[in-house]
Amino acid sequence: MVVWCDGRLVPPGTPVVQPGDRGLTSGLGVYESLAVLDGTVFALTRHVQRLVHSAQVVGVRLPAEQVLREAAREVAQAGRWSYGRLRITVTAGPDESTPGVVVVTGSPARATEQVRVVRVPWVRNERSAVAGAKATSTAGNQVAARAAHQAGADEAVMANTRGELCECTTSNVLVETDGAMLTPPLASGCLGGVTRALLLEWSDGWDVPVREQTMAYEVLDDVAAGRAGMAVSSTVRTLVPVVALDGQATCEAVLARRARTLFDARRRDEMDP
């Protein structure tokens, strides 16, 4: 792991958070996960912009955007990974008058070819005070993810409080049906994923339609019955077909595999779209 804090690279075991930091005591902080390709951070501008939005929602003071950009680039270049994962974390500090800590970490990552998903009984609150923000208080996600792992899956998929399909714990979700890939709108309470946004934008020039659509959570019954395909998207995974739902094999997500090929090719040409 490569670690950056307070303007410089530090050894991975270096203490960086004060005991009274509200990021530690209350989970008050924001973060971003980014992908690194051959030492270059992908979609850095979009991730920094989303971090700014999250900080405004949560109430966290950020350093200048250029500081965040340079820190991310320094970690990516120090890691020299052909494929890597970066995380920018900013805490709220011990009080409102004192800035929190900014930590950027990086490590190697591997491409994911497929995922297994399970439904869980918990829901995403689309009316939450932090809906759509990447806040560091992710205990709910961690509990749902643990349940998925205990069930032999990689991800958990959740509804919102209205009974609509929302998202997975660390991924957006897409349902493949009627010749198109459908993803819940942001009004569902899902996170505005960078990969999700690029799929919606870039697909205009592809033979794979991707669009937003509100769907009842019961649409997953169609996936389980083989009447629809399913995929998830995230920064490091990109777009990945779902091969099993609740322990049962699903039909092949043909459009997802096609879209992933197109996405991977384009992001190599546009590293900061």
Side-chain angles (χ1 to χ4, degrees):
M1 177 178 287
V2 176
V3 181
W4 180 100
C5 183
D6 289 335
R8 61 189 179 90
L9 297 176
V10 298
T14 302
V16 295
V17 180
Q18 298 179 34
D21 194 307
R22 291 174 294 166
L24 179 64
T25 61
S26 304
L28 198 60
V30 293
Y31 74 100
E32 277 292 319
S33 296
L34 307 90
V36 177
L37 287 75
D38 296 325
T40 301
V41 185
F42 175 67
L44 180 55
T45 296
R46 288 180 183 253
H47 281 285
V48 170
Q49 290 173 345
R50 190 172 63 177
L51 188 69
V52 170
H53 168 73
S54 297
Q56 291 171 343
V57 172
V58 176
V60 173
R61 295 168 58 182
L62 294 182
E65 290 187 22
Q66 190 60 29
V67 172
L68 298 171
R69 290 172 176 273
E70 291 176 357
R73 293 190 183 110
E74 185 172 359
V75 171
Q77 291 168 4
R80 299 181 181 178
W81 308 292
S82 58
Y83 197 56
R85 177 195 311 271
L86 236 62
R87 174 170 166 139
I88 303 173
T89 305
V90 186
T91 69
D95 54 60
E96 294 184 359
S97 64
T98 307
V101 65
V102 181
V103 181
V104 182
T105 59
S107 58
R110 291 187 299 175
T112 303
E113 300 299 329
Q114 59 186 34
V115 297
R116 298 159 296 170
V117 173
V118 296
R119 286 176 272 198
V120 292
W122 307 290
V123 299
R124 184 75 80 217
N125 181 5
E126 73 282 358
R127 295 174 292 178
S128 165
V130 293
K134 285 185 76 73
T136 55
S137 47
T138 63
N141 279 345
Q142 298 304 317
V143 170
R146 183 178 62 201
H149 297 159
Q150 290 173 343
D154 307 296
E155 263 282 25
V157 60
M158 293 175 284
N160 61 17
T161 65
R162 298 191 295 256
E164 300 163 348
L165 181 64
C166 187
E167 63 181 350
C168 295
T169 58
T170 59
S171 309
N172 289 115
V173 60
L174 302 98
V175 175
E176 187 174 309
T177 182
D178 296 329
M181 298 183 67
L182 310 177
T183 189
L186 299 183
S188 69
C190 70
L191 180 72
V194 170
T195 300
R196 172 190 178 278
L198 289 173
L199 287 168
L200 289 166
E201 294 174 23
W202 289 352
S203 65
D204 283 344
W206 298 345
D207 56 356
V208 182
V210 182
R211 62 176 183 268
E212 293 180 315
Q213 183 169 307
T214 299
M215 294 170 277
Y217 194 58
E218 288 75 16
V219 72
L220 296 181
D221 293 339
D222 291 335
V223 175
R227 295 188 295 269
M230 185 177 175
V232 300
S233 67
S234 67
T235 292
V236 177
R237 286 181 174 135
T238 66
L239 180 64
V240 185
V242 170
V243 297
L245 175 64
D246 298 333
Q248 299 296 317
T250 58
C251 67
E252 183 177 4
V254 178
L255 293 181
R257 294 192 182 278
R258 170 66 174 155
R260 174 172 175 145
T261 299
L262 294 167
F263 183 90
D264 286 347
R266 182 157 178 177
R267 73 171 178 167
R268 289 286 180 180
D269 293 333
E270 298 182 46
M271 287 297 294
D272 199 15

